Structures are given as structure tokens and as C-alpha cells.
Amino acid sequence: MDDTSGTEKPCPQTEWMIAVRDRRDRTAFARLFDHYGPRLKAVAMRGGASAAEAEDIVQDVMLTIWHKAHHFDPGRAQVSAWIYRIARNRQIDLFRRRARPEPEEIVGEERNADDAAEAVALDQEAARLRAALARLNLDQRHMIEKAYLGEMTHVEIQEETGLPLGTIKSRLRLGLQRLRHELKELRKA
Amino acid sequence: MSDIRHHIPDWMMRDYVAGALAHPFALVVATHVSMCDECRALMGTHEVLAGAALEDVDAAPLSADLRERLFARLDDAPPDHVRPAPRRQGIYPGPLAEAIGAPEPRWRSLGMGVRQSILHDGPDGSARLLFIPPGQAMPEHSHRGLEATLVLQGSFRDETDHFGVGDVEVADENLTHVPVAGPDEPCICLAATDAPLKFSGLIPRLAQPFLRI
């Protein structure tokens, strides 16, 4: 696991996603596909899809990413988290034949040019989390994997693993506060 | 909005994020998150952890032509499943407004001024809106399974605590309670169960199959 403290750039996946969002960059989209495609296929198959169904899901998810790229906000959602959510929605759509209810989006105006700083901060938290995950014992890692990629339910992750989830939650909470504040200012103007 | 004191339990949020939560409860979670930044952050946290699991999963190789097939579709119109996020209507946050599917819920009277509007009823449980007049008590009931109740307007009180707008009470079969609506305005809430409710009184129990409560 890399030690990312001190890096000033977001992770490559985030940069690809921003290039897709801002410039409809097809090379960056191909990189995202090469990176996440095989992972998404593996997750879909763990969820019970056949290899062919899993590839259909990969295509659907990648198309959704392409069309929803303008919603991507790296200060508020880490890229792999954002893609995971899209993939889960798609899988629920297909298998339950009913869309999963989703929360309202908080609609801001044009993004600040400096969302890179917030993206870096969130990426660093995510990198720390992955490092902490790598240090868990095998049973605990399997539990996390099953909890998010399989069908295990009713799990209290934080209590059993001591993962640094509190810091991530505070950062996300802070991002939301800032956004709410900006929206309030906008309405005043 | 910042007055919310009763939140989605951690395990329920994890189940929602992982896609393992039954539809009626997923509706409660999505609606509550629309009202509560604390739980929006909790949801984001579980998603970061899920994203980490996605990064670390053993990848499955793709068919050689999949990328080409995908790129051939990029200029097509967005597929149907790429739909705009739902919008709030009055007291009903986006996901709930979508489930209601009309400007106003279709209320049915349950007597004593209490009304309900069933939004979902299936093998995975039920979701409905309840309208309780000010100061009115709901019949005492315990649960065969899990029940989550989210306040959208007004408030209610039971043996455990007071619940205002945005608060969610999660109760299991161990709780037999008598929710009473607050005195100022009708209490409107979203109630999800994974089994039909059972009432303690004889009459409501007989009426249960007809009323679907």
C-alpha cells in the first residue's frame, strides 16, 4: 500500500473521472473502463450474475458513468464509492425489477475550480482506509468483503474492526456543511 | 433540519449501501437521508468503504470486444435507467414523492380520523403513509418483525421518546408501543415493516386482513 500522505494530486481514477466530466475525454474513459470493468464484473458475479449478465451490467454501469459524469463531485464522493453506488443501483434494478429509492441530490451551482483540494483530501482518507483494511486479519477482511460485495446483512462494521471511519464521516459532513453554506449565500445573492 | 435526534442505525445504513435492505426500508433510508446531512455523511462513509472493497476485489477478465461494444454506444441517447434524481413535493422528499407518484397521496380512512396510504405491499414487507389527527393515539401494537417510522409532519410520542420531523424510530418485535400524535398538527409519517402489523385489541385484529394494517 502506498503512503499517500504528502501527495498533492488526487488518485489517477479521480483524475480520469474529472477528465471525463469536464472534457468528455474518451482516453480517460477507456482507462476507467480498463480499471473498473473487470472489478465490476467480479462484483456482479459475486452477486449471482452469470458471466454474460455481469458483462451487460459492466456496460450499463459504464454508460451510466458516462452520462452522469456531470454529477461527479470528488469532494463529496470518492470515485470508487461513486461507481460502487451506480453499480449497486443497476444490479438492484435488474434483479429486483424495481429501482432502489435514492436520496435527493443537493443541487449546487457551478463547481469551484479548487474542488481538487477537497478531492485530494478525500482520496487520502480513502487511501488510509485501504491501508487499514490491508492490516486487518483475514476473517475481518472477509467480513468487510462479504458485507459490501456479498449478501451478509445486519453487520456493524466499525465496532468490530476499528477502521478509521469516523474521520471519513467528519470530512464528508464538513463538505456538506460547506455546500449548504454556499447554497444559502447563493440564494441571498 | 438540524433538530433531528433519531437517525438511521449503522447496520441499516450498511445494508442500504450494500443493496441488501428490503425495499420498504430502503425507502425510509433514502427519505431520511434527503432530510439529514448527518446520515448523508454516514451513507458516504459506508460507500467509501464499499469503494475500497471494490478496488481490492479480484478482478474478472472481460471479453476482448466489450470495450469496443461499449464505445460504440457512447454517442447514443442516455438509456432509460439514467434518470434524473427525484424532486421534493411539499413535505414529501424526492424518493417519497416518487413512490407516491401523484401530487398528493391517495388516503384511505381507518376510522377515528386516522388515514393511511399504502405505497408498497409485497413479500419483502410494506411501506405506507399514516395520517394521525393531533393528540390521537394509534392502536397499541407490537411487531412480528422490524418497523421503521419516519416523521414527515408534526410529531409523535411513545413509551420510548418523542419523535419530530426527520426523526426515525426503528422498533423490533420486543417493543409494544402506543404512539400518540403531538397536539399541534396532524402527524404524517412513513412507516415500513417487514411483516404485517399485529394489534393488541380484538377488533383491530379481526379487521386487520380487511384494512391491511
Side-chain angles (χ1 to χ4, degrees):
Chain A
M1 185 60 52
D2 312 327
D3 179 17
T4 49
S5 54
T7 38
E8 279 140 43
K9 284 168 68 170
C11 69
Q13 292 92 312
T14 304
E15 292 192 308
W16 299 333
M17 197 57 231
I18 290 174
V20 169
R21 180 190 76 186
D22 295 347
R23 303 193 298 277
R24 310 306 279 155
D25 185 329
R26 289 181 187 229
T27 310
F29 188 66
R31 293 208 169 109
L32 279 173
F33 173 83
D34 290 343
H35 182 79
Y36 286 109
R39 289 174 169 79
L40 291 169
K41 181 178 175 182
V43 170
M45 289 179 73
R46 289 180 66 138
S50 68
E53 285 169 338
E55 293 206 342
D56 286 345
I57 291 173
V58 172
Q59 277 214 59
D60 278 1
V61 171
M62 292 307 299
L63 274 177
T64 309
I65 291 167
W66 178 253
H67 289 293
K68 282 199 148 183
H70 59 286
H71 287 295
F72 177 64
D73 179 348
R76 288 201 293 135
Q78 217 261 327
V79 61
S80 55
W82 191 71
I83 289 176
Y84 173 92
R85 182 202 293 197
I86 290 173
R88 269 296 180 245
N89 278 339
R90 195 61 198 131
Q91 208 154 353
I92 292 170
D93 257 4
L94 290 172
F95 285 113
R96 294 199 197 152
R97 307 204 176 278
R98 177 180 298 120
R100 172 166 67 169
E102 280 200 274
E104 280 171 7
E105 278 165 24
I106 308 173
V107 190
E109 289 294 300
E110 285 301 299
R111 244 168 254 101
N112 286 333
D114 64 310
D115 65 6
E118 285 188 40
V120 170
L122 190 54
D123 278 351
Q124 285 180 352
E125 295 296 350
R128 263 181 224 123
L129 178 66
R130 284 185 70 196
L133 270 173
R135 287 193 298 270
L136 291 179
N137 67 41
L138 213 54
D139 281 353
Q140 287 177 316
R141 289 186 65 176
H142 281 157
M143 186 191 78
I144 302 282
E145 257 185 44
K146 270 199 208 150
Y148 292 101
L149 307 179
E151 285 295 304
M152 206 160 86
T153 57
H154 287 36
V155 186
E156 304 265 358
I157 300 293
Q158 189 150 16
E159 281 174 22
E160 297 187 33
T161 59
L163 287 170
L165 299 176
T167 52
I168 293 175
K169 189 178 165 197
S170 321
R171 174 153 301 283
L172 292 169
R173 188 77 184 81
L174 209 64
L176 286 169
Q177 263 166 12
R178 205 173 292 132
L179 183 69
R180 294 282 185 205
H181 182 72
E182 275 169 27
L183 289 175
K184 212 191 268 172
E185 294 295 308
L186 272 171
R187 279 193 211 105
K188 272 191 218 152
Chain B
M1 205 170 256
S2 53
D3 295 338
I4 297 174
R5 293 187 304 122
H6 298 277
H7 298 277
I8 300 292
D10 190 67
W11 68 263
M12 189 180 273
M13 186 62 84
R14 194 217 61 85
D15 281 5
Y16 174 87
V17 166
L21 194 60
H23 183 80
F25 296 104
L27 183 59
V28 171
V29 171
T31 305
H32 176 83
V33 167
S34 301
M35 306 166 87
C36 176
D37 282 355
E38 190 65 30
C39 286
R40 198 181 279 271
L42 177 64
M43 184 172 177
T45 306
H46 281 287
E47 284 173 345
V48 171
L49 187 50
L54 172 64
E55 290 287 350
D56 289 338
V57 78
D58 290 329
L62 300 173
S63 304
D65 63 341
L66 190 64
R67 189 160 101 176
E68 203 178 316
R69 282 192 276 140
L70 171 67
F71 271 69
R73 292 174 63 192
L74 290 190
D75 295 319
D76 296 352
D80 289 345
H81 65 263
V82 182
R83 48 182 180 270
R87 301 225 163 193
R88 168 180 274 266
Q89 281 198 352
I91 62 166
Y92 306 109
L96 194 48
E98 193 175 49
I100 293 167
E104 281 294 319
R106 287 174 53 223
W107 294 110
R108 299 279 159 107
S109 174
L110 293 180
M112 307 283 286
V114 177
R115 290 183 251 164
Q116 76 170 351
S117 174
I118 295 174
L119 303 176
H120 175 87
D121 192 17
D124 54 349
S126 71
R128 64 208 171 123
L129 293 167
L130 287 171
F131 176 106
I132 309 164
Q136 173 85 40
M138 280 291 288
E140 181 182 347
H141 64 284
S142 54
H143 315 99
R144 255 170 246 164
L146 197 67
E147 183 187 48
T149 310
L150 168 65
V151 179
L152 304 160
Q153 176 191 292
S155 65
F156 74 83
R157 176 181 288 287
D158 67 11
E159 288 81 346
T160 66
D161 212 334
H162 175 266
F163 298 85
V165 171
D167 281 333
V168 58
E169 178 178 50
V170 177
D172 63 14
E173 50 221 339
N174 298 318
L175 179 71
T176 300
H177 61 159
V178 187
V180 179
D184 298 326
E185 59 179 332
C187 176
I188 298 179
C189 46
L190 169 65
T193 58
D194 61 359
L197 296 179
K198 48 183 184 187
F199 286 89
S200 307
L202 177 65
I203 301 300
R205 190 180 301 151
L206 287 174
Q208 198 173 343
F210 306 107
L211 296 175
R212 292 208 287 170
I213 55 175

